[in-house]
Amino acid sequence: MPKLKCKVEQCIYNYDWLCAKNYIDVDGPTARCKNDTCCKSYEPKDENSTHFEFATLGGITPNIMTEVYCDATNCVFEKGQRCYADRIEIKNVSGNLHENGAKSQNVDITNCQTFESIDD
């Protein structure tokens, strides 16, 4: 499992730059660069959001090590749909969120800053 740093402050799972989800999915089956990837586990926060994947009661906090499932098959760190990088960073990018082929306007999207193409 890679060490995960999440720079997506508006994600419901972001907790002190760590991911509170048990695992994340990185998408990008045709990716040739970082901007072609995204964190499919991203869920935007709103005023009614709560951290529903974990509890802060009893001192439970997110772990720096997170399971990363990866569909970016052109990345040097992807093997068998898993990420084998030592560390991974997910970052905000402005643009449209593509979900099942549909575009949602004015939604922040993410990308995997760790992506390195096998073609380079």
Side-chain angles (χ1 to χ4, degrees), residues 16 47 53 101:
D16 197 24
E47 63 276 356
E53 283 270 328

Side-chain angles (χ1 to χ4, degrees), residues 95-98 102-109:
N96 298 325
L97 178 64
H98 300 272
K103 291 183 182 179
S104 300
Q105 297 296 321
N106 302 319
V107 178
D108 289 332
I109 59 173

Side-chain angles (χ1 to χ4, degrees), residues 47-82:
E47 63 276 356
N48 299 318
S49 296
T50 59
H51 296 289
F52 54 85
E53 283 270 328
F54 71 102
T56 56
L57 298 174
I60 299 171
T61 57
N63 192 330
I64 194 168
M65 303 298 278
T66 303
E67 190 73 42
V68 178
Y69 296 96
C70 182
D71 288 329
T73 56
N74 195 44
C75 181
V76 297
F77 300 113
E78 185 277 337
K79 292 185 182 33
Q81 295 186 315
R82 297 283 171 91

